[in-house]
Amino acid sequence: MNQLSAKQNIWQVIFASSAGTLIEWYDFYIFGSLSAIISEKFFPPSNPDLAYIATLAFFAVGFVVRPFGAIVFGRLGDIAGRKYTFLLTLLIMGGSTFAIGLIPSYHTIGIIAPALILILRLLQGLALGGEYGGAATYVAEHSPAERRGYYTSFIQTTATLGLFVSLGVILVTRTSMSTESFNEWGWRIPFLLSVLLVVMSYYIRIRLSESPLFAQMKKEGKTSTNPIKESFGNKENLKLVLIALFGATMGQGVVWYTGQFYALSFLQKTMNIEFVQSNIIIAVALLLGTPFFIWFGGLSDKIGRKKIMLAGMLLAALAYFPIYYTMDNIGNLSIKKELASEFRIESNSHKNDKGELVQVSTRIHTYDDQTILQETGDKKEITVSRTNMIYLILLVFVQVLFVTMVYAPIAAFLVELFPTRIRYTSMSLPYHIGNGVFGGLLPTISTILVTTYHNHLAGLIYPVAIALICFVVGMLLIKDRKGEALNSVRRESLQKVG
């Protein structure tokens, strides 16, 4: 294969792998992006705070089961192949997301509604547990050693871009109809649209060939017959798994979810920033930050994965409290001077979820920095000025920079840590425990801490502590292997751990 065709081939591999992974992240994160509405639709209305925490818990369930998906599909990927395994995960994810858009509300079918949501979230988590390891391994095994961090960083962009696309689709849907229509049925559209994206991605992926390293091992009869036993029953490999978890993926997971999902939750539920404005803030910050995945991925090929990942964890741990303190003050009405207050009753009545006709009464407060508070019944929404909106975008953007530092090199780091015959299984488990358990539980744990201690910054205790622990472990135990041949004899025999 000449140089030109080789380049074309790697970009085809990256595009096909990234497109499918992006769509799976889109499917997975629609639920989180719409968690405030989902809590109203699928849970009893008697306790809104409890309903929201329950929704976050269901969101977290999808993360908690990801390690099980990593084991199931990782084993399948190491035995049957990378390509067909991530085709299967794509279909499971897409089907589950589409089904969520069809489930009737709690007011229609009662307790069956949250039960169905839970089942589908479990399926989503299992599918995602098998997707990432397959895509990252597939791209890495096609990449030249000296550019592995750069090429695999395109896979790393898909999680953030999936969240960005989900926010974009939600915003387009929301702004194309009235608030009442969106809350009543329009929120289902982003879920239902996923079926079109899945069909497109499946068509792209089905045309790919198998990973060359795996195909060669299969041809030579060297594939693993029991990758789970080899991955976790082997003392040397198990030690690598634990180092990957406690020295890299655990901290990377909490930084990722703090900088993106907790930031959105903080804006909407703690600061009460208006729905469209809060989503725009996150979306713009993600758009600005995404190119840095590629930059840090390429940089890791030059200076190593370890330095960049651990620097991101340390910077995040040191900066979170000042960042969120500043964000909270922007929305703190107690330190602002109220200029005017207006009370009005909307002339247009609408039906609630029970089909009852209700009138909307609203009180609008205007403050000296152009902040506007709109109170409708028990619901409060704050619209900040353009200047404060820019400040919030910048504060979230800084958090996204930390995300790119810890996340861009992680795929190359994990791929280089484990031998080819059990790579899919070995790298998937620590990645999904770090992200699925430690990271995925972050929104729920942090919300509970804020609710319990009535302190808006209490939720940061968890990610800061985890990031610092991971930084110390990583400094002591991680050794860079950037640029090593993935099928080298030393790596395959696991002669060294450190």
Side-chain angles (χ1 to χ4, degrees):
M1 181 181 293
N2 60 40
Q3 186 176 3
L4 178 60
S5 61
K7 286 184 178 180
Q8 290 175 334
N9 183 57
I10 186 62
W11 288 114
Q12 179 186 4
V13 166
I14 290 171
F15 174 74
S17 301
S18 299
T21 306
L22 184 151
I23 290 166
E24 290 214 33
W25 284 113
Y26 164 84
D27 286 353
F28 197 71
Y29 287 133
I30 291 174
F31 191 95
S33 301
L34 290 171
S35 57
I37 291 177
I38 289 173
S39 68
E40 299 172 1
K41 294 296 176 182
F42 295 112
F43 293 91
S46 55
N47 191 330
D49 289 339
L50 184 60
Y52 184 68
I53 290 175
T55 302
L56 291 179
F58 276 31
F59 183 58
V61 162
F63 291 96
V64 173
V65 300
R66 277 167 58 178
F68 298 99
I71 292 174
V72 172
F73 292 109
R75 178 180 184 276
L76 185 62
D78 282 327
I79 293 176
R82 291 36 168 146
K83 172 185 173 180
Y84 291 104
T85 302
F86 63 40
L87 281 174
L88 178 60
T89 61
L90 177 68
L91 294 177
I92 294 174
M93 175 66 80
S96 301
T97 304
F98 181 76
I100 289 176
L102 299 175
I103 296 176
S105 68
Y106 179 86
H107 296 296
T108 304
I109 60 174
I111 197 66
I112 297 176
L116 290 175
I117 290 291
L118 178 60
I119 292 172
L120 293 172
R121 283 298 294 170
L122 289 170
L123 289 174
Q124 284 187 320
L126 289 172
L128 193 60
E131 165 65 22
Y132 175 81
T137 300
Y138 189 76
V139 172
E141 290 178 350
H142 279 85
S143 302
E146 71 278 4
R147 298 283 277 165
R148 191 177 296 129
Y150 173 73
Y151 286 130
T152 56
S153 68
F154 286 89
I155 289 292
Q156 303 308 95
T157 67
T158 58
T160 294
L161 287 175
L163 175 56
F164 175 79
V165 173
S166 74
L167 293 176
V169 172
I170 290 167
L171 283 172
V172 170
T173 306
R174 168 63 183 81
T175 55
S176 64
M177 61 182 67
S178 66
T179 302
E180 292 76 18
S181 295
F182 181 78
N183 290 338
E184 186 175 346
W185 59 269
W187 62 270
R188 297 182 182 273
I189 293 176
F191 286 96
L192 300 177
L193 282 177
S194 68
V195 70
L196 300 177
L197 300 176
V198 168
V199 170
M200 178 187 69
S201 180
Y202 185 85
Y203 174 76
I204 294 172
R205 280 189 170 185
I206 195 67
R207 304 171 69 185
L208 292 175
S209 57
E210 184 54 83
S211 158
L213 287 180
F214 181 84
Q216 181 65 26
M217 289 189 66
K218 191 170 185 179
K219 181 180 178 180
E220 297 172 354
K222 295 181 180 179
T223 55
S224 175
T225 56
N226 193 340
I228 295 177
K229 183 178 179 180
E230 286 190 49
S231 294
F232 313 120
N234 181 302
K235 182 180 178 180
E236 300 298 316
N237 200 74
L238 179 60
K239 190 178 295 185
L240 293 176
V241 170
L242 295 176
I243 290 173
L245 172 59
F246 294 106
T249 63
M250 178 177 74
Q252 173 257 303
V254 296
V255 172
W256 201 100
Y257 289 103
T258 302
Q260 298 180 143
F261 257 103
Y262 186 65
L264 177 62
S265 175
F266 191 86
L267 287 170
Q268 291 183 343
K269 300 301 291 186
T270 303
M271 297 176 62
N272 295 313
I273 301 296
E274 188 267 332
F275 181 83
V276 171
Q277 193 175 55
S278 61
N279 279 279
I280 290 175
I281 290 168
I282 297 294
V284 173
L286 294 179
L287 187 62
L288 294 173
T290 296
F292 288 90
F293 284 106
I294 311 300
W295 191 80
F296 282 118
L299 184 63
S300 76
D301 286 322
K302 299 176 181 178
I303 69 172
R305 329 297 184 198
K306 173 181 177 177
K307 294 176 183 176
I308 299 173
M309 291 189 300
L310 296 186
M313 293 178 203
L314 181 61
L315 288 172
L318 296 175
Y320 278 155
F321 278 102
I323 286 174
Y324 278 87
Y325 176 79
T326 305
M327 289 174 65
D328 196 36
N329 277 344
I330 289 175
N332 187 355
L333 300 180
S334 65
I335 62 175
K336 303 179 189 297
K337 181 180 179 180
E338 184 174 349
L339 300 180
S341 178
E342 173 191 352
F343 179 80
R344 68 184 184 208
I345 298 178
E346 298 289 343
S347 57
N348 295 326
S349 300
H350 68 277
K351 292 183 179 180
N352 62 15
D353 290 332
K354 298 179 181 179
E356 301 168 336
L357 200 63
V358 296
Q359 265 190 333
V360 178
S361 60
T362 302
R363 184 174 293 276
I364 299 175
H365 307 265
T366 304
Y367 293 84
D368 57 349
D369 66 346
Q370 299 180 349
T371 298
I372 297 174
L373 168 64
Q374 181 170 305
E375 296 178 294
T376 304
D378 294 331
K379 187 175 182 180
K380 296 181 179 180
E381 282 192 335
I382 292 175
T383 302
V384 298
S385 67
R386 180 172 297 183
T387 300
N388 281 335
M389 187 174 178
I390 292 173
Y391 287 154
L392 288 172
I393 289 172
L394 291 175
L395 289 168
V396 176
F397 168 69
V398 172
Q399 296 179 64
V400 176
L401 280 182
F402 300 149
V403 172
T404 63
M405 292 179 70
V406 299
Y407 198 53
I410 200 79
F413 165 75
L414 291 172
V415 165
E416 291 165 344
L417 199 59
F418 300 106
T420 303
R421 59 188 278 113
I422 54 173
R423 178 171 294 128
Y424 200 147
T425 302
S426 294
M427 71 169 285
S428 292
L429 188 66
Y431 174 83
H432 286 294
I433 292 178
N435 284 266
V437 178
F438 288 97
L441 289 176
L442 187 147
T444 307
I445 293 174
S446 294
T447 301
I448 291 173
L449 288 172
V450 170
T451 304
T452 301
Y453 294 104
H454 304 289
N455 185 321
H456 290 179
L457 303 183
L460 298 173
I461 296 172
Y462 174 73
V464 168
I466 296 297
L468 289 176
I469 292 171
C470 195
F471 171 80
V472 173
V473 173
M475 284 294 293
L476 295 175
L477 298 179
I478 286 180
K479 178 183 178 181
D480 257 319
R481 291 195 173 95
K482 70 178 181 70
E484 285 192 10
L486 295 183
N487 57 346
S488 65
V489 174
R490 187 178 71 82
R491 295 300 309 121
E492 293 303 322
S493 63
L494 286 173
Q495 290 176 350
K496 294 184 179 181
V497 177

